[in-house]
Amino acid sequence: MFFGAPQLKGSPMDSTIKLLRINGNRDTRSSVGTNYNTITFADIAAMAEDPLTLTKLDAPAFVASSYIASDARSHEVQRQHGQFHAFVVDVDENGPTLDAVDATLTAVFSSCARIIYSTSSASAEAPKWRAIVPFLTPISGTQYEELQRSLFELLQAHGITCDRSMQGAAQMAFLPNVPPEMRGSDGTPLFYQSHVVADNILSAPPLALQERA
């Protein structure tokens, strides 16, 4: 059972919902039994404006779930226990512009809160994007996978091809980061673009996606 038609909340990017943060590929907690760190949408929005400078091995990532126990990197565990608060989209193909990605998301979600930033391997010749659309009412990991699939199909119909691996409940998405090799001698990114809309957070996933799932 999914939620009703979405409502927009005229509030700043939420700083109370704490999502799973993974501090690099080597950050696994299953053997030690400790919880993972957390990150908020406000943190991610700030990071999008000022990306990190880390190697990919050390770059942090997140999962849009508030379940952070030591087994949180398991897809099956997140399907069962995850509480998801955002759609996450990776656009790695065909090189759409930031404006094109933003316009497509607006067509699907209306003018709601969103975070879009170029990925660590993006360039002016081959732009790649990550987009996050938060919502306040959580959904289960199973619902998340179903709605991610529906979203990707809808975006494909609008000409935006998404990385289907992001359908997975525990699939991590790297946070805003421009590694040293993608920066000039003065430390400035050779290519980096972002766009943050920090208000009008969706209260729940849109009805159109729920009906497609």
Side-chain angles (χ1 to χ4, degrees), residues 26-71:
R26 293 167 292 191
D27 184 16
T28 59
R29 310 290 177 93
S30 56
S31 61
V32 293
T34 58
N35 286 355
Y36 284 89
N37 297 115
T38 61
I39 192 167
T40 68
F41 291 121
D43 295 332
I44 300 173
M47 202 178 292
E49 301 287 357
D50 185 18
L52 301 172
T53 308
L54 295 169
T55 65
K56 186 165 185 178
L57 186 63
D58 296 320
F62 79 103
V63 174
S65 168
S66 60
Y67 182 82
I68 62 168
S70 60
D71 55 359

Side-chain angles (χ1 to χ4, degrees), residues 13-14 19 40-49 62 86-89 98 101-102 105 112-118 129-134 175-176 192-199:
M13 189 70 72
D14 193 273
L19 307 175
T40 68
F41 291 121
D43 295 332
I44 300 173
M47 202 178 292
E49 301 287 357
F62 79 103
F87 295 107
V88 183
V89 173
L98 175 60
V101 174
D102 187 54
L105 290 174
C112 64
R114 58 199 179 275
I115 304 169
I116 308 171
Y117 53 93
S118 53
W129 309 101
R130 182 159 297 114
I132 305 163
V133 180
L175 291 161
Y192 182 77
Q193 294 180 358
S194 66
H195 178 59
V196 176
V197 176
D199 55 11

Side-chain angles (χ1 to χ4, degrees), residues 48 169 175 181-182 210:
L175 291 161
E181 67 270 19
M182 299 297 287
Q210 298 171 26

Side-chain angles (χ1 to χ4, degrees), residues 52-206:
L52 301 172
T53 308
L54 295 169
T55 65
K56 186 165 185 178
L57 186 63
D58 296 320
F62 79 103
V63 174
S65 168
S66 60
Y67 182 82
I68 62 168
S70 60
D71 55 359
R73 292 189 66 173
S74 162
H75 288 287
E76 186 56 36
V77 169
Q78 285 289 358
R79 290 185 195 106
Q80 294 181 17
H81 302 293
Q83 292 288 291
F84 287 79
H85 284 275
F87 295 107
V88 183
V89 173
D90 272 3
V91 181
D92 295 335
E93 298 182 23
N94 304 325
T97 64
L98 175 60
D99 286 346
V101 174
D102 187 54
T104 303
L105 290 174
T106 301
V108 172
F109 292 108
S110 77
S111 184
C112 64
R114 58 199 179 275
I115 304 169
I116 308 171
Y117 53 93
S118 53
T119 66
S120 62
S121 61
S123 66
E125 298 73 25
K128 302 176 184 180
W129 309 101
R130 182 159 297 114
I132 305 163
V133 180
F135 46 85
L136 298 177
T137 304
I139 59 175
S140 71
T142 299
Q143 289 173 315
Y144 175 77
E145 290 189 337
E146 292 172 351
L147 291 182
Q148 283 275 98
R149 186 179 302 108
S150 295
L151 173 59
F152 294 172
E153 292 171 354
L154 190 56
L155 291 176
Q156 182 69 61
H158 283 78
I160 300 295
T161 301
C162 301
D163 181 353
R164 295 296 179 121
S165 68
M166 285 308 306
Q167 292 176 187
Q171 181 65 38
M172 66 181 192
F174 285 101
L175 291 161
N177 179 55
V178 180
E181 67 270 19
M182 299 297 287
R183 293 175 180 263
S185 57
D186 62 352
T188 301
L190 300 176
F191 176 82
Y192 182 77
Q193 294 180 358
S194 66
H195 178 59
V196 176
V197 176
D199 55 11
N200 290 334
I201 297 178
L202 292 171
S203 65

